[in-house]
Amino acid sequence: MDEVLGKWAVFVTEDQQPLPKSWLSAAYPRRDRATARPVRPAPDAAEQAWKLLEPRLNRVEHTLRNERAEPRYANEARPWLSPDVPPDGSPLGAAVVCGLVAEELGFLQGNEAEVFPEAWVAGRGVVFAARAAAELADLDLSLGGGVFLVRYRANRTPGRFDALEFHHAMHFRTVEIMSRVRAHLAAAPESEYQAAVAALAEYRQTPRQRAVTSFLAPTRTDWVTEDCALVAGGQPVDSNNHFLLFHAVSTVEQLDQVVDNFWSGEATQSLAPLATVLTSVGPAAMSRVIRWLDGGDLNAEKRRRAYSALAVTPTDEAFQTLLDRIGEAPAKAALTTAAQRYPARALRLLATAATTTAATSTAATAAITDLLAAHVASHPTVVERVVPDLPEAARQRIGALASTEDGVPDAPAERVPAVLLSPPWEVKRPTRRGRPTVLAELTCSDPTVIAWEPGEQERWRVPQHRVPYQWDRDVPLTGVAQQIREGTARAYDEAPFFILGPDELTRPLLAQWWPRDRYEAWHHLPPLVARYELAALPAVLRVAQDGPEFAAHALLAFAGPEIALLMADWLARLKKQRPAALAWLTRHPAAAARALVPAALGKPGQPRRAAEQALRAIVAAGYDAEVRAAADGYGPPARAAIDTLLAVDPTELLPTKVPRTPDWAEPVLLPRVLLRDRASALPEASVRHLTTMLALGAAGEESAWTGGVRAGMDTIRGACDPASLAEFGWALFERWRSTGMPSKESWALGALGLVGDDDTVRRLAPLIRAWPGEGGNNRALAGLEVLVTIGSDTALLELNRIAEQVTFKALRERAAQLTAEVAAERDLGPEQ
């Protein structure tokens, strides 16, 4: 093909490039598109559904007994309130139970109800699941008198779209539930699919059911066309139905009939709607996304998603839209992605823009020129094939960029640090022989204790979030206590009851309480722990089981074996929870070590590996003596085994997958790293190895090999010019920022701690102060760790200023804590 098309082959290939796998997998599948994929229900789906229902059984039964609920629904649902559903259990009954559990789970947990459609398919097949989904469409689960009332949404009126009120949060949950049914229908054998479509045809009666059946079976384009035409004809319908039809359309005409009749924010709530319409309609759908960007209804996160959709769209219009908005950070990030994906288009449009924007925007010209220079350096083959057909001004601009040289020669091999010539991940390591020492009889008998820091308990006593409005009035506490005892209390009544209620009512119930509202738990757990101390631990651990991010902060005050093992597991398995795990391990190093030594010497497996990694992290944080003292407590064999564990060369502990240098960190895009005499610079291959070392060892990315990386960095800092190395690190950080600061590559921020200097501190501190106001609280907290890692007097001064001056409480308190820790280590007084 290339021989036939010649120089135009690169353009044809780009226009025909398939969507990334991540976008195909994000789309709601349909059997007539590339998004169809094999899917099987989990073999234990029924057991998982019962596990979800059982603790909410009393609450569901209470709802069904309500005198205002329609008896038919209660009667149909009751057979499903058992782990052994009878064979004649109806689709309507299944839908009622699924809908009630989804409501009980709350907004943040409602997607867990997706296990119900999985159980339907596993136990009764896709036809039954399709019927249950259609029945769910017409359930009205509205809040009344403290319970959800199960009622029919409207009288069946064939062929007419009525304006109906629908519970907004329930809408999003039912979409996710129905999407599981749609996925199974898309993958079903043809005969089963046709049977399910025939069953769905019986449900095209009410407005909601019509939208749902089109969503479930988008290949019935006649249904979709009919429904979209009714919308375009001006018949009233709620925006939730429009949202479902948005995921069923397959033509631009159908899309235009529904796209302006619902809130654009819903279509950018996640990648799923954008991916679905892009895969179903094609690139032409993105012109509607461009209209949304101009409308001003999208917040920063939704604009970022819209820009990311344009970045994978193979049209000049999409690329030019990003180029026109290069001043917006999310657009610039998406533009970088688009340039890597469509290099020929990028070269042509960037070169043209670089010669035409100078008169209108100096900032835009500088940004475009920077991106073009990086693109030219990264794609020499594309430059060779595309440049001859560009306008003269564009050719000259590219020629000037391509000829830029800094005149600094590469350093000879003998002057390059050895770790950057032959890094450990490129050296074949000998297989370690011999079995690990196993002392399976060891156990830690430490009691769990509460270990407050000075003033901490008093701070935690003060609720950081308002209690629900109902608690502003008199509440019958004995009634709430009885409801909690029976399992029928409202989720938002429970935490305030335990925070504000009298001991004689609250303490007898605390041990059995399982907090259901995880979002509120984030705010309510600290005052609960401050009041009840150890008695609150079971509730905190239950929240941690459901969602670690909602309970990690409340576990800091506890120390004990169960928590130590939990933190070791988080450190090894949950990237987002590593900072929390490290904070706990370094706050309680002795208690953690005593709990982890038995696990680290237990039988081989994931728990042992996690404990080993956690012990190494404790040692790397400066608590070597505590770990070895803990081993001494278990006897000489344990001490010898732990000594052997800690003596292992960190280079033998490399991760199985070494991170690849991202496109934005290519050496040609970054300033040269000069050696100490500034007469020569690291060769390109060594710069790649340096980037990999930073990715492996940056602050916040703690791993078993982190210590080895930092030891290697000491050698590198000794060989390289400090200012040059710091500038390299800052440029790396800025390029990460320009791509939208992807979390998987957040090591670029942590790398500043390994190579930064006082200039780095001065440039980073304002960003740390600003990030919480931009939704980057976790990034700001990571930035504080960078200041600590740099460790200079200037860094400590900025850390103290943040502790005293910023308005964001979490950032201010963490900065104060770190300042106090650093001051204690250096034996500094407050005036210093």
Side-chain angles (χ1 to χ4, degrees):
M1 177 63 77
D2 279 6
E3 290 76 9
V4 175
L5 295 174
K7 64 186 179 183
W8 301 108
V10 64
F11 297 107
V12 174
T13 302
E14 286 188 359
D15 288 345
Q16 294 177 347
Q17 190 171 345
L19 285 173
K21 290 181 180 179
S22 59
W23 280 78
L24 293 175
S25 62
Y28 293 134
R30 51 187 295 163
R31 61 194 293 118
D32 58 350
R33 294 293 190 272
T35 52
R37 48 192 176 269
V39 59
R40 293 178 181 235
D44 63 343
E47 290 81 357
Q48 292 299 319
W50 174 249
K51 183 178 178 181
L52 207 59
L53 170 60
E54 186 178 21
R56 298 164 179 86
L57 204 54
N58 288 344
R59 180 80 173 158
V60 171
E61 289 177 335
H62 182 63
T63 298
L64 296 176
R65 289 195 303 268
N66 188 284
E67 62 182 13
R68 295 169 62 192
E70 294 192 18
R72 172 173 168 246
Y73 290 126
N75 294 335
E76 295 285 343
R78 285 197 176 94
W80 290 88
L81 302 180
S82 165
D84 301 313
V85 180
D88 59 349
S90 69
L92 175 58
V96 170
V97 172
C98 175
L100 285 174
V101 172
E103 283 292 359
E104 287 295 323
L105 285 167
F107 186 76
L108 291 180
Q109 296 171 261
N111 61 343
E112 295 177 18
E114 293 176 19
V115 71
F116 284 97
E118 296 294 311
W120 300 340
V121 175
R124 306 289 289 275
V126 293
V127 177
F128 178 94
R131 287 185 177 277
E135 294 284 8
L136 182 61
D138 261 344
L139 291 183
D140 176 17
L141 303 176
S142 54
L143 190 63
V147 298
F148 287 100
L149 305 178
V150 186
R151 297 175 294 190
Y152 192 55
R153 294 192 70 240
N155 293 325
R156 292 178 184 266
T157 309
R160 182 167 176 266
F161 275 62
D162 298 311
L164 296 174
E165 184 178 337
F166 191 67
H167 193 279
H168 190 63
M170 183 62 190
H171 157 64
F172 284 110
R173 287 195 283 278
T174 51
V175 167
E176 295 307 313
I177 291 167
M178 291 171 189
S179 73
R180 297 308 306 152
V181 178
R182 171 164 161 165
H184 285 287
L185 289 172
E190 183 64 22
S191 59
E192 293 183 28
Y193 177 72
Q194 292 302 332
V197 172
L200 288 173
E202 302 173 17
Y203 290 90
R204 288 183 56 77
Q205 303 297 318
T206 68
R208 180 69 172 177
Q209 285 185 337
R210 294 170 68 95
V212 165
T213 53
S214 285
F215 173 82
L216 293 173
T219 57
R220 283 297 303 262
T221 55
D222 55 330
W223 290 356
V224 180
T225 298
E226 179 184 348
D227 296 346
C228 291
L230 286 171
V231 171
Q235 302 243 6
V237 59
D238 70 18
S239 65
N240 296 326
N241 292 354
H242 287 236
F243 183 77
L244 289 168
L245 289 175
F246 179 80
H247 294 86
V249 301
S250 57
T251 68
V252 172
E253 292 73 22
Q254 292 171 344
L255 179 62
D256 283 339
Q257 290 174 327
V258 301
V259 74
D260 291 327
N261 292 290
F262 73 102
W263 182 42
S264 59
E266 292 185 65
T268 50
Q269 191 74 27
S270 69
L271 281 185
L274 293 167
T276 301
V277 74
L278 187 55
T279 55
S280 299
V281 178
M286 289 302 101
S287 62
R288 284 73 187 165
V289 173
I290 295 171
R291 293 213 309 263
W292 294 338
L293 289 167
D294 293 331
D297 292 333
L298 305 183
N299 62 23
E301 182 62 21
K302 291 175 180 179
R303 291 182 74 83
R304 184 192 65 76
R305 290 195 190 97
Y307 286 136
S308 69
L310 294 176
V312 298
T313 302
T315 64
D316 282 9
E317 180 189 27
F319 194 95
Q320 189 63 49
T321 299
L322 297 173
L323 198 53
D324 292 342
R325 292 162 170 79
I326 197 171
E328 291 185 51
K332 186 177 180 181
L335 191 61
T336 302
T337 300
Q340 294 295 333
R341 185 169 174 80
Y342 309 113
R345 174 178 286 109
L347 184 65
R348 173 168 51 84
L349 295 180
L350 283 170
T352 301
T355 61
T356 58
T357 59
T360 58
S361 172
T362 302
T365 299
I368 292 170
T369 300
D370 177 67
L371 188 58
L372 178 61
H375 200 69
V376 169
S378 302
H379 299 88
T381 303
V382 174
V383 170
E384 182 181 349
R385 300 180 72 174
V386 173
V387 163
D389 296 297
L390 295 179
E392 176 64 23
R395 293 201 305 272
Q396 291 181 359
R397 192 77 183 92
I398 292 173
L401 293 172
S403 63
T404 301
E405 294 287 347
D406 61 13
V408 180
D410 287 348
E414 61 270 16
R415 299 199 60 205
V416 176
V419 71
L420 297 182
L421 284 176
S422 183
W425 54 87
E426 291 194 349
V427 177
K428 186 176 181 179
R429 293 164 296 198
T431 303
R432 295 175 62 191
R433 300 188 178 276
R435 294 183 178 181
T437 299
V438 175
L439 301 176
E441 72 281 1
L442 300 183
T443 59
C444 179
S445 58
D446 286 2
T448 298
V449 298
I450 194 94
W452 295 109
E453 292 188 340
E456 187 176 43
Q457 186 175 18
E458 289 68 29
R459 292 195 303 272
W460 284 26
R461 286 187 190 279
V462 182
Q464 300 302 311
H465 188 60
R466 65 174 181 83
V467 295
Y469 71 91
Q470 288 88 350
W471 289 81
D472 295 337
R473 306 189 299 269
D474 291 336
V475 175
L477 297 179
T478 54
V480 176
Q482 183 62 26
Q483 291 173 348
I484 292 175
R485 192 175 293 110
E486 296 174 349
T488 60
R490 296 177 295 194
Y492 50 74
D493 279 344
E494 295 173 351
F497 168 79
F498 285 106
I499 293 173
L500 304 175
D503 279 359
E504 61 269 20
L505 289 179
T506 60
R507 286 190 179 273
L509 297 173
L510 186 59
Q512 72 183 53
W513 179 46
W514 194 301
R516 290 181 290 149
D517 194 330
R518 290 186 298 189
Y519 177 77
E520 293 299 329
W522 166 265
H523 305 287
H524 293 326
L525 286 181
L528 280 167
V529 172
R531 176 178 177 179
Y532 298 103
E533 297 193 303
L534 286 174
L537 181 58
V540 178
L541 288 174
R542 288 170 188 142
V543 175
Q545 177 181 328
D546 285 342
E549 66 274 23
F550 298 104
H553 64 306
L555 287 170
L556 269 177
F558 298 100
E562 181 180 9
I563 305 168
L565 295 174
L566 181 65
M567 293 299 167
D569 176 63
W570 289 0
L571 181 69
R573 193 172 52 85
L574 303 178
K575 180 178 180 180
K576 289 186 177 180
Q577 295 309 311
R578 285 177 186 169
L582 284 170
W584 188 93
L585 291 168
T586 54
R587 174 165 167 169
H588 309 284
R594 288 194 301 272
L596 292 170
V597 165
L601 300 179
K603 64 180 182 180
Q606 175 56 28
R608 174 170 177 144
R609 291 193 295 272
E612 290 175 345
Q613 179 175 338
L615 288 175
R616 291 191 182 100
I618 295 172
V619 169
Y623 299 100
D624 180 277
E626 284 79 356
V627 172
R628 297 185 195 273
D632 283 335
Y634 293 97
R639 171 59 188 262
I642 292 299
D643 285 344
T644 300
L645 170 70
L646 299 180
V648 173
D649 186 339
T651 62
E652 295 185 28
L653 304 172
L654 280 172
T656 55
K657 185 178 181 181
V658 175
R660 181 188 67 85
T661 301
D663 292 334
W664 53 264
E666 285 292 320
V668 294
L669 310 179
L670 299 165
R672 305 288 300 279
V673 179
L674 304 179
L675 297 191
R676 281 274 174 177
D677 61 5
R678 299 184 65 86
S680 59
L682 293 179
E684 181 176 320
S686 295
V687 174
R688 290 183 184 277
H689 297 327
L690 172 59
T691 303
T692 300
M693 288 193 69
L694 294 174
L696 285 170
E701 294 297 316
E702 199 72 35
S703 68
W705 199 66
T706 302
V709 172
R710 291 176 180 170
M713 287 304 305
D714 288 340
T715 302
I716 294 169
R717 282 191 292 266
C720 296
D721 173 65
S724 171
L725 196 59
E727 193 59 34
F728 172 83
W730 187 261
L732 195 66
F733 167 71
E734 285 289 8
R735 292 209 64 81
W736 172 66
R737 287 183 68 202
S738 74
T739 63
M741 297 179 285
S743 59
K744 67 179 181 179
E745 291 155 354
S746 59
W747 54 263
L749 170 58
L752 295 177
L754 300 177
V755 299
D757 58 11
D758 284 350
D759 282 341
T760 303
V761 171
R762 296 185 187 97
R763 290 192 279 191
L764 180 62
L767 299 177
I768 295 174
R769 295 167 182 264
W771 278 334
E774 302 168 358
N777 188 59
N778 288 339
R779 193 182 312 124
L781 294 175
L784 296 181
E785 302 291 343
V786 170
L787 297 181
V788 172
T789 305
I790 291 175
S792 65
D793 290 346
T794 300
L796 182 56
L797 179 61
E798 287 294 346
L799 193 65
N800 188 58
R801 285 173 177 166
I802 292 171
E804 293 178 344
Q805 298 174 5
V806 299
T807 58
F808 301 102
K809 182 175 181 180
L811 182 64
R812 186 175 68 248
E813 289 186 349
R814 180 58 176 159
Q817 180 185 3
L818 291 173
T819 300
E821 291 175 1
V822 174
E825 290 174 3
R826 299 186 182 185
D827 197 23
L828 299 175
E831 71 283 353
Q832 296 174 284

